[in-house]
Amino acid sequence: MSQPDPEGEPMIERRRVTDWWSTAVTEIHPGVIRLRGYPVEQLVGRITFAEQIWLMLRGELPTPVQGRLLEAALVAAVDHGPQAPSIAAARMAATCGVGLNSAVATGAGLLGDVHGGAGQQCMEVLARVVGGEDAGAVVADFRARRAYVPGFGHRFHPRDPRRDPLLALVGEAVERGEVPGHALAAGLAVEAALAEGRARPVPMNIDGATAIIYAELGFPPELGRGLFVLSRSVGILAHAWEETSSGSRIKGPIPRPLLAGYHGPPERDLPADR
């Protein structure tokens, strides 16, 4: 027979219930909050938000370099303007009076494989090259399937302005021996393979640059996407709040004087015998 705990409940039976949601992330008791073992009051004001993210995901505090690289990647990817589908959807939702939380959820919910998944997909490509595949062969594989290589090229920018500062930070960390440099070398090799035989190069974009950082920091591809969603949610929140503050109501994808184009059948009458 199990011994009762101080509250008079059989310990074995109680643990069977409480372990249903057992976690190594957070411990709470009345007046106590510990995150990965650290009392929250010791973390407040002493670590950055990026360091807190690392702690929650990885279980330990990052080194200064790890924290700096993670923060740089998160800062760089927060927004890319109101034309991005996730931002536009959040702004439209905000004008429908659904509340800020629902507007942000609307935008974040659009970050899937096509819009928002390129970073994770690029991390998977980098892993192939780091694992021994030739970068040129990987590029040839994508070209044979008439598919874009994720993380490279941009519809708006001839050269993504976020690429160089992010890769410079990684390069400095590699030179100091603080990250291995395998993902950086793989990304640059893919970039060079994409440029072969072209008059204009195809430099990596924000997805490629952050994919390199997350891979160098040891995050799995799935968490790479999660970190992008976390970063981009900042921009979604800012745009949703701006639209909420504008007072607009039920704002659609095009200005009100304009109507969506139509390419269906011309006007026709329903037959009289119907």
Side-chain angles (χ1 to χ4, degrees):
M1 182 175 178
S2 62
Q3 296 296 315
D5 72 0
E7 298 180 13
E9 301 177 29
M11 184 67 74
I12 293 176
E13 295 301 318
R14 186 177 186 188
R15 286 297 302 271
R16 185 177 297 167
V17 175
T18 58
D19 283 354
W20 181 259
W21 285 119
S22 179
T23 174
V25 177
T26 310
E27 181 184 7
I28 62 168
H29 302 285
V32 174
I33 303 173
R34 299 190 187 100
L35 304 175
R36 297 290 192 179
Y38 292 101
V40 69
E41 61 270 23
Q42 295 181 18
L43 300 174
V44 173
R46 296 176 62 185
I47 67 172
T48 68
F49 187 44
E51 290 171 329
Q52 180 72 296
I53 292 168
W54 183 289
L55 173 64
M56 296 296 280
L57 293 177
R58 305 285 284 268
E60 299 293 340
L61 288 167
T63 66
V65 171
Q66 291 169 334
R68 186 163 63 250
L69 286 175
L70 176 59
E71 185 163 19
L74 293 171
V75 167
V78 293
D79 190 25
H80 196 252
Q83 77 287 340
S86 54
I87 301 293
R91 296 189 74 118
M92 283 190 283
T95 67
C96 295
V98 297
L100 194 59
N101 60 316
S102 294
V104 172
T106 297
L110 266 63
L111 297 174
D113 288 341
V114 176
H115 173 49
Q120 175 182 345
Q121 295 155 11
C122 184
M123 290 179 73
E124 293 165 353
V125 170
L126 296 177
R128 291 173 59 182
V129 177
V130 171
E133 290 191 50
D134 178 71
V138 171
V139 169
D141 173 51
F142 276 88
R143 286 176 171 163
R145 294 184 280 116
R146 303 182 65 83
Y148 291 105
V149 180
F152 296 85
H154 205 286
R155 291 179 298 165
F156 298 107
H157 306 299
R159 188 178 184 87
D160 193 318
R162 299 161 290 190
R163 173 202 181 279
D164 293 347
L166 290 177
L167 294 196
L169 288 173
V170 179
E172 292 168 5
V174 172
E175 289 178 1
R176 293 193 295 264
E178 294 163 328
V179 295
H182 303 315
L184 176 61
L188 294 175
V190 172
E191 189 176 55
L194 278 167
E196 289 181 6
R198 296 178 59 94
R200 296 176 59 185
V202 185
M204 69 181 69
N205 55 37
I206 182 64
D207 298 308
T210 53
I212 286 174
I213 289 180
Y214 295 146
E216 290 287 352
L217 293 177
F219 287 101
E222 294 84 356
L223 271 183
R225 182 185 301 205
L227 289 166
F228 172 77
V229 172
L230 185 61
S231 172
R232 185 54 57 91
S233 292
V234 177
I236 292 172
L237 173 62
H239 281 276
W241 176 243
E242 181 182 60
E243 200 63 63
T244 298
S245 305
S246 72
S248 299
R249 288 174 56 83
I250 313 179
K251 191 172 182 180
I254 56 178
R256 288 188 179 90
L258 303 176
L259 297 175
Y262 174 74
H263 59 271
E267 181 181 359
R268 49 185 170 171
D269 295 320
L270 188 68
D273 59 352
R274 293 291 296 174

